[in-house]
């Protein structure tokens, strides 16, 4: 199950669905699109266009913008009501990516993962900074740090300064790609 969210980017979602349709494991992929908001400047019926593609797809309209993750979860819950069975795997994906390897999903679903693996994520490489910006945590964030971050981000001026200082720090401390533990 591949969950994506449309927020006034119908053409990008459609291009992503077309790209996904090139996967060799197409019969194993079900695309789920939650429409948080349609673009008023684009004359494109996304639900209709998706139905013309060879990929199995569901389209859900929550009636308002739920945000990215809540929109994806809304679509997942709607899917679960209609499908009445849990998928073996769920991918929550942005639509501004291109999956160049047509065997990507075949490799993903046929790989023999350790039983303690429950989440896979791609490498996030910033070409402009020439750094890997992967969120890599080897330990859970402490409650005090989480509360401190919440406190900072509840204050717009502090959040702005925090973001600027973080960018400056990133320029001076380039991250190297960490190898996978698995």
């Amino acid at each position: 199950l591949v969950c994506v969210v449309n927020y006034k980017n119908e053409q990008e979602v459609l291009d992503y669905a077309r790209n996904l349709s090139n996967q060799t494991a197409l019969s194993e992929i079900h695309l789920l699109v939650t429409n948080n908001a349609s673009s008023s400047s684009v004359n494109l019926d996304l639900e209709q266009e998706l139905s013309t593609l060879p990929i199995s797809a569901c389209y859900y309209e929550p009636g308002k913008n739920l945000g990215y993750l809540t929109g994806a979860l809304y679509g997942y819950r709607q899917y679960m009501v209609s499908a009445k069975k849990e998928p073996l795997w769920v991918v929550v994906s942005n639509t501004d990516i291109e999956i160049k390897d047509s065997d990507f999903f075949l490799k993903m679903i046929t790989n023999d993962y350790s039983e303690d693996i429950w989440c896979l994520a791609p490498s996030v490489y910033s070409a402009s900074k020439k750094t890997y910006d992967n969120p890599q945590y080897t330990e859970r964030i402490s409650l005090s740090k989480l509360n401190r971050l919440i406190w900072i981000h509840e204050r717009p001026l502090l959040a702005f300064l925090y973001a600027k200082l973080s960018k400056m720090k990133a320029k001076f401390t380039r991250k190297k790609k960490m190898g996978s533990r698995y």
Side-chain angles (χ1 to χ4, degrees):
L1 184 65
V2 178
C3 304
V4 300
V5 175
N6 176 59
Y7 181 80
K8 301 181 181 183
N9 63 329
E10 291 87 347
Q11 188 60 55
E12 184 179 277
V13 172
L14 189 57
D15 291 343
Y16 179 85
R18 286 184 180 127
N19 180 252
L20 209 55
S21 296
N22 294 323
Q23 288 293 307
T24 56
L26 185 59
S27 64
E28 301 294 323
I29 300 171
H30 189 80
L31 177 63
L32 185 155
V33 178
T34 301
N35 184 36
N36 271 348
S38 296
S39 176
S40 58
S41 62
V42 175
N43 189 15
L44 176 71
D45 183 341
L46 185 55
E47 184 175 18
Q48 172 60 34
E49 291 292 328
L50 288 170
S51 71
T52 66
L53 298 178
I55 192 167
S56 171
C58 289
Y59 180 87
Y60 299 108
E61 292 260 3
K64 62 181 178 178
N65 179 11
L66 300 174
Y68 179 74
L69 187 55
T70 306
L73 288 171
Y74 172 87
Y76 174 78
R77 289 181 181 125
Q78 295 300 308
Y79 172 82
M80 290 300 293
V81 168
S82 63
K84 298 188 183 356
K85 70 175 190 168
E86 196 167 312
L88 293 175
W89 50 271
V90 178
V91 173
V92 178
S93 177
N94 289 357
T95 55
D96 62 347
I97 63 171
E98 180 182 0
I99 302 169
K100 293 182 180 184
D101 183 353
S102 62
D103 290 330
F104 176 82
F105 281 94
L106 181 64
K107 292 173 184 174
M108 185 187 81
I109 63 178
T110 59
N111 194 13
D112 186 24
Y113 300 102
S114 170
E115 286 191 24
D116 62 345
I117 301 291
W118 58 273
C119 180
L120 303 173
S123 277
V124 179
Y125 182 75
S126 171
S128 63
K129 294 188 293 182
K130 295 183 173 54
T131 61
Y132 286 92
D133 293 339
N134 298 325
Q136 297 180 10
Y137 292 99
T138 55
E139 295 177 8
R140 190 177 183 139
I141 296 175
S142 70
L143 182 57
S144 62
K145 181 174 181 178
L146 185 59
N147 285 331
R148 186 172 59 251
L149 290 171
I150 290 169
W151 187 85
I152 289 169
H153 289 284
E154 285 177 339
R155 291 152 179 82
L157 181 58
L158 279 178
F160 174 79
L161 291 171
Y162 184 83
K164 287 290 185 187
L165 290 172
S166 294
K167 283 184 180 180
M168 287 173 53
K169 179 183 175 187
K171 286 181 181 179
F172 295 108
T173 57
R174 296 190 189 275
K175 291 183 189 176
K176 300 264 191 254
K177 182 176 180 181
M178 288 176 55
S180 173
R181 294 185 295 167
Y182 303 99

